[in-house]
Amino acid sequence: MTRKRHAQTPMLAAALLCALVPIGCQKSEQPYSIAGGYTFSRDFEGERRVLKIEPSSERSAACIETSLPAGTSDSWRRTLLAPMLHSALLDLLFDEIRLPSYQADLDAVQESGTFICSPRPSGPDFCYLPEVVVTGNVPKVFVKVAGISPPTLVRSPLRFGLQEHVALSKEGRELIDAFLDAHEACWNPRD
């Protein structure tokens, strides 16, 4: 009887480890990157929405909406954003008063990221982190580097967690809503 218990202990430990760590799970990647502009990507409720904008006066935008896992053959829609929508979005992104809130949202994601996994019949389960990522020449965030004073400016992607247990700042929610409004204007343009 004692041997049976000792033999079951490693099996139970392995089962627990598999439950906690998504082994054999294909994790979502952010396949969208641009040079010179900004990319907003939201993975939430099994879908991905991506919006690419340029900071130029042309106000050009490209967007995509697809289910997860995202395919490479999905087609992009292109449009010009309304001047007020475009400038309001950039104003929110670069408002220095908001940067500490964006940094706090980034810290909250790093502390509490939880993957959502869905089984697939052929191949590994697909897992993704419900979040928003803004990449490109994103705002500079003040951080202390190795105790050097004054704080150094560091560029970093902005990440916002979309899980129930992650409390986003009011500023983070406003930025996400503005990007979603711009995505909607791109995906379903009004003629």
Side-chain angles (χ1 to χ4, degrees), residues 37-38 89-100 102-103 106 134-143 153-160 175 179:
Y38 306 95
L89 188 57
L90 292 176
D91 288 347
L92 287 175
L93 191 58
F94 290 108
D95 184 352
E96 290 185 17
I97 294 171
R98 295 171 163 272
L99 294 182
Y102 297 162
Q103 182 63 44
L106 176 63
V134 180
T135 59
N137 295 325
V138 296
K140 297 176 180 181
V141 180
F142 288 97
V143 295
L153 292 173
V154 177
R155 292 181 190 268
S156 173
L158 297 176
R159 295 179 103 76
F160 302 90
L175 180 67
F179 267 108

Side-chain angles (χ1 to χ4, degrees), residues 12-23:
L12 289 173
L16 182 61
L17 181 64
C18 287
L20 296 175
V21 180
I23 294 175

Side-chain angles (χ1 to χ4, degrees), residues 41-45 109 116 129-132 160-166 168 176 180:
S41 178
R42 185 192 79 164
D43 289 357
F44 187 66
E45 294 182 344
V109 169
I116 292 183
L129 193 62
E131 68 178 354
V132 166
F160 302 90
L162 298 179
Q163 295 126 335
E164 286 183 23
H165 63 277
V166 176
L168 287 178
I176 291 169
L180 288 173

Side-chain angles (χ1 to χ4, degrees), residues 14-172:
L16 182 61
L17 181 64
C18 287
L20 296 175
V21 180
I23 294 175
C25 180
Q26 175 192 347
K27 293 183 181 147
S28 67
E29 298 294 328
Q30 297 294 334
Y32 308 104
S33 63
I34 63 173
Y38 306 95
T39 300
F40 162 85
S41 178
R42 185 192 79 164
D43 289 357
F44 187 66
E45 294 182 344
E47 80 169 7
R48 175 172 287 162
R49 292 185 183 190
V50 180
L51 174 72
K52 296 179 180 183
I53 63 168
E54 294 292 332
S56 67
S57 59
E58 294 174 14
R59 307 177 331 271
S60 62
C63 56
I64 194 167
E65 188 172 315
T66 184
S67 60
L68 289 171
T72 55
S73 63
D74 298 315
S75 60
W76 289 84
R77 294 187 183 177
R78 301 188 187 288
T79 191
L80 290 179
L81 293 178
M84 290 183 66
L85 180 61
H86 185 261
S87 65
L89 188 57
L90 292 176
D91 288 347
L92 287 175
L93 191 58
F94 290 108
D95 184 352
E96 290 185 17
I97 294 171
R98 295 171 163 272
L99 294 182
S101 296
Y102 297 162
Q103 182 63 44
D105 290 334
L106 176 63
D107 294 342
V109 169
Q110 291 173 346
E111 291 173 9
S112 62
T114 305
F115 282 91
I116 292 183
C117 298
S118 23
R120 294 193 297 180
S122 59
D125 294 350
F126 175 77
C127 302
Y128 71 95
L129 193 62
E131 68 178 354
V132 166
V133 179
V134 180
T135 59
N137 295 325
V138 296
K140 297 176 180 181
V141 180
F142 288 97
V143 295
K144 280 197 172 187
V145 178
I148 298 172
S149 193
T152 306
L153 292 173
V154 177
R155 292 181 190 268
S156 173
L158 297 176
R159 295 179 103 76
F160 302 90
L162 298 179
Q163 295 126 335
E164 286 183 23
H165 63 277
V166 176
L168 287 178
S169 66
K170 179 180 97 133
E171 293 80 5

